[in-house]
């Protein structure tokens, strides 16, 4: 399981750089613009320069409307700015066809520029609260659009969490559908260390966190702390070892 950490700017990216050995992907977002709020192109460039060259940089394009051309241009801008993982929050897509339309434009725009870029179709575990596509439709949307991964996050950051909206068995089904479609499965949404046993068991490929590695567990007021990144990774590794050993023990 890969660990994706989301700093909100260059200062926190430098904290991630200090803890680079404990994480896999540095994700650029702007939390005050939403769950998958897009940051500025120059911030992406500065963060790309701040973190080790062997750590891929991810960038969110935003909680996007159903405007395929606008979103495709935004996605290309993120890629040009140095991101190799491009995440699109399908906030304004009410149907799978709309979501596929948006994601096909993103995939073409990004991969015409950089064929090895990694495109992530992101949906929301609490989709019922905002009227967007069903979470379990995401893997098929991503597959049909030619994306590389399907991701679930939470849209409304009010203290509710991933498993509050899609319980573990639902997340397991999401992961299974993603893998059947040849995609990676990413899960986020106020994930805590206590969730790692379940996330490991269901085969999650990428776990995205922010609050769990911020001082006080506060994604807004807290700041990312290298020691908390290291502690979270240690828990990930502990659960991975336990899961790997379980069949042999039985």
């Amino acid at each position: 399981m890969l660990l994706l950490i989301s700093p909100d700017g260059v200062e926190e990216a430098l904290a991630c750089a200090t803890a680079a050995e404990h994480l896999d992907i540095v994700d650029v977002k702007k939390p005050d613009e939403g769950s998958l709020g897009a940051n500025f192109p120059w911030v992406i460039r500065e963060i790309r320069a701040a973190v080790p060259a062997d750590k891929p940089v991810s960038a969110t394009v935003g909680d996007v409307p159903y405007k395929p051309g606008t979103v495709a241009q935004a996605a290309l801008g993120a890629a040009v700015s140095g991101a190799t993982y491009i995440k699109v929050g399908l906030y304004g897509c009410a149907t799978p066809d709309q979501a596929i339309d948006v994601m096909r434009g993103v995939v073409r725009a990004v991969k015409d520029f950089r064929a090895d870029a990694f495109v992530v179709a992101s949906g929301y575990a609490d989709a019922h609260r905002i009227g967007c596509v069903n979470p379990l439709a995401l893997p098929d949307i991503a597959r049909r659009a030619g994306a590389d991964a399907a991701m679930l996050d939470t849209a409304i950051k009010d203290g509710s969490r991933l498993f509050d909206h899609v319980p573990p068995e639902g997340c397991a089904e999401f992961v299974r559908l993603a893998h059947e479609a040849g995609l990676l499965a990413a899960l986020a949404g106020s994930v805590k260390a206590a969730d790692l046993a379940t996330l490991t068991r269901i085969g999650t490929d990428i776990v995205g966190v922010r609050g769990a590695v911020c001082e006080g567990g506060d994604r807004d007021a807290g700041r990312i702390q290298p020691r908390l990144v290291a502690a979270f990774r240690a828990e990930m590794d502990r659960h991975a070892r336990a899961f790997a050993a379980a069949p042999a023990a039985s």
Side-chain angles (χ1 to χ4, degrees):
M1 190 158 61
L2 302 179
L3 176 59
L4 178 149
I5 304 287
S6 299
D8 67 356
V10 178
E11 179 185 342
E12 284 194 330
L14 291 172
C16 290
T18 301
E21 66 184 293
H22 304 296
L23 57 87
D24 301 291
I25 304 165
V26 177
D27 180 53
V28 185
K29 65 169 60 172
K30 199 167 184 288
D32 62 359
E33 291 195 12
S35 171
L36 294 171
N39 216 317
F40 298 105
W42 51 89
V43 174
I44 298 174
R45 289 196 299 268
E46 290 171 2
I47 289 177
R48 174 63 281 175
V51 302
D54 64 340
K55 297 296 177 183
V57 167
S58 163
T60 55
V61 177
D63 296 308
V64 305
Y66 175 54
K67 293 187 176 180
T70 299
V71 180
Q73 283 204 36
L76 177 58
V80 169
S81 300
T84 49
Y85 282 60
I86 311 297
K87 296 194 309 180
V88 181
L90 296 167
Y91 192 100
C93 295
T95 68
D97 284 344
Q98 288 183 348
I100 291 165
D101 199 14
V102 168
M103 289 308 306
R104 280 179 175 162
V106 168
V107 168
R108 178 171 178 178
V110 169
K111 291 186 180 282
D112 279 356
F113 171 72
R114 181 167 181 166
D116 64 344
F118 196 89
V119 177
V120 184
S122 298
Y124 304 92
D126 52 348
H128 59 284
R129 304 171 83 186
I130 57 173
C132 68
V133 291
N134 186 294
L136 292 183
L138 259 294
D140 189 58
I141 289 166
R143 178 190 65 80
R144 292 171 64 187
D148 303 288
M151 180 175 188
L152 284 186
D153 203 330
T154 50
I156 301 174
K157 300 298 185 181
D158 61 355
S160 65
R161 304 171 59 238
L162 173 70
F163 291 154
D164 293 334
H165 302 289
V166 179
E169 58 270 24
C171 287
E173 177 69 359
F174 177 86
V175 171
R176 185 188 69 78
L177 291 170
H179 290 170
E180 283 187 353
L183 307 166
L184 295 186
L187 294 172
S190 299
V191 168
K192 300 183 183 303
D195 302 321
L196 287 171
T198 298
L199 293 172
T200 301
R201 175 180 57 80
I202 67 177
T204 310
D205 299 299
I206 303 171
V207 58
V209 302
R210 175 173 170 77
V213 296
C214 285
E215 197 69 61
D218 190 327
R219 74 185 297 272
D220 297 316
R223 311 302 293 163
I224 291 175
Q225 301 296 321
R227 61 181 174 76
L228 297 178
V229 175
F232 194 89
R233 186 49 177 253
E235 277 295 285
M236 285 178 63
D237 292 345
R238 182 175 72 82
H239 286 290
R241 290 192 299 270
F243 183 75
S250 61

